[in-house]
Amino acid sequence: MRTRSKRWFINDSCGICCVVFTYLLIIFAECIVLFVTLLPESSTSATVHTIIYNILIVLAVAAHYKTMVTDPGAVPIGNATPEALRSLRDSGSFRDMVVVKCVKCECIKPERAHHCRVCNRCIRKMDHHCPWVNNCIGEYNQKYFVLFTMYICLSSIYSIFLGIRHFIVCHSSDTNDYCDPFSLPATIVCIVALLFEGLLFGLFTLIMWSSQIYAIANDETGIEALKSNKDGTQKKAWLMNFKEVFGGALSPLWLSPFNSVHYRGKEDMMHYIV
């Protein structure tokens, strides 16, 4: 059993700016939820909501970080040496197969791998390059990306609920104690901004999460969907696809970004995990 624990980071200015912007949006929503909607109440329900919301945020940030710094499945650069090509030619398993060489990174291109011009590497089962995580979404970090979009979507929906709840409580209170320490206009501005951010990014991440779940269930990457072609590879059962992405049998660990995915099998120059 092999664990992909190697860390890497893509030095792309656009991606870095998107990552910083993502964390700023998370911090902004966190500040509004805590200091405007929950902490002024000083109630048991506010404490419970604070704990639940912060758990979602911690899981989202952890999943984002793991997506960003996990090798998505980069093929070694320059492995298309004469010796490697001769070895494949002489191997009985690959004698009748066409060996594809990437001219950009001088590597033997495995099945379903694609070259990313941002990462400047061939990525196994590349789905797309996402600037919001400054990384490609590929075979080894797709789980973390799915969890990131899921937890951001859930926290966005929860923040909308908390914003509406506080707005109603604030207006229904005779003394406006729940609006302290801010004035009513300032509270309304903050809540409206929170609702706008929650609605915008809740819808965006819901669409991304849904597309990823559909792609995993159908064993088809985003690039393959655009090409309407999977190079003749045979689709597997949907449950097997989820087991490969999330690691092992169905368990609560599928929902944890702190749990590293273990891949069973062996890896060679022509195939991804078999």
Side-chain angles (χ1 to χ4, degrees):
M1 205 178 319
R2 177 176 52 85
T3 304
R4 298 291 296 196
S5 59
K6 180 182 177 181
R7 294 289 186 265
W8 81 342
F9 185 79
I10 302 301
N11 189 20
D12 175 57
S13 57
C14 177
I16 294 174
C17 290
C18 289
V19 168
V20 173
F21 185 60
T22 298
Y23 287 132
L24 288 177
L25 288 173
I26 293 175
I27 293 172
F28 172 77
E30 175 80 6
C31 291
I32 300 298
V33 168
L34 289 183
F35 299 111
V36 177
T37 69
L38 293 177
L39 294 185
E41 289 190 26
S42 299
S43 63
T44 302
S45 61
T47 302
V48 173
H49 288 308
T50 300
I51 294 173
I52 295 175
Y53 182 78
N54 279 279
I55 289 175
L56 292 176
I57 290 299
V58 168
L59 291 173
V61 171
H64 182 277
Y65 176 77
K66 290 293 289 287
T67 307
M68 180 174 59
V69 300
T70 299
D71 178 356
V75 180
I77 296 177
N79 68 349
T81 61
E83 293 78 11
L85 294 174
R86 189 180 308 112
S87 176
L88 287 175
R89 183 189 60 192
D90 297 338
S91 174
S93 302
F94 307 116
R95 184 169 298 170
D96 298 326
M97 294 182 63
V98 177
V99 178
V100 180
K101 175 183 176 181
C102 177
V103 297
K104 297 179 181 178
C105 55
E106 296 293 323
C107 71
I108 298 176
K109 202 171 183 179
E111 279 188 295
R112 305 180 69 182
H114 298 276
H115 186 86
C116 174
R117 61 181 180 82
V118 180
C119 298
N120 199 28
R121 299 285 292 274
C122 282
I123 306 297
R124 298 171 182 270
K125 287 186 70 176
M126 176 181 169
D127 187 85
H128 68 287
H129 184 93
C130 179
W132 299 105
V133 297
N134 191 34
N135 202 358
C136 274
I137 308 304
E139 185 173 26
Y140 301 139
N141 67 347
Q142 188 175 22
K143 168 190 173 178
Y144 306 124
F145 182 73
V146 172
L147 294 181
F148 166 65
T149 55
M150 182 182 73
Y151 287 125
I152 286 294
C153 182
L154 291 176
S155 62
S156 298
I157 295 173
Y158 202 53
S159 67
I160 292 174
F161 162 75
L162 294 175
I164 296 175
R165 169 185 175 274
H166 182 78
F167 188 79
I168 295 174
V169 170
C170 184
H171 273 277
S172 64
S173 174
D174 294 333
T175 60
N176 284 338
D177 290 336
Y178 291 139
C179 295
D180 291 337
F182 302 98
S183 65
L184 181 58
T187 300
I188 293 176
V189 169
C190 291
I191 296 301
V192 170
L194 178 66
L195 295 179
F196 177 78
E197 179 184 343
L199 181 62
L200 180 64
F201 288 94
L203 288 175
F204 176 71
T205 52
L206 177 61
I207 293 172
M208 291 300 299
W209 178 82
S210 301
S211 66
Q212 288 294 304
I213 293 298
Y214 179 83
I216 295 172
N218 288 274
D219 191 24
E220 185 177 59
T221 67
I223 294 177
E224 291 166 352
L226 290 174
K227 292 182 177 181
S228 299
N229 177 15
K230 260 190 38 167
D231 299 328
T233 55
Q234 185 177 2
K235 290 186 177 181
K236 300 180 288 293
W238 67 269
L239 183 57
M240 181 62 66
N241 297 329
F242 279 95
K243 287 181 178 180
E244 288 184 356
V245 172
F246 290 90
L250 177 64
S251 76
L253 294 178
W254 280 20
L255 302 177
S256 173
F258 303 102
N259 179 59
S260 298
V261 181
H262 297 273
Y263 297 90
R264 298 181 181 277
K266 61 182 181 178
E267 181 180 28
D268 55 52
M269 288 182 291
M270 287 298 296
H271 294 80
Y272 53 100
I273 302 303
V274 294

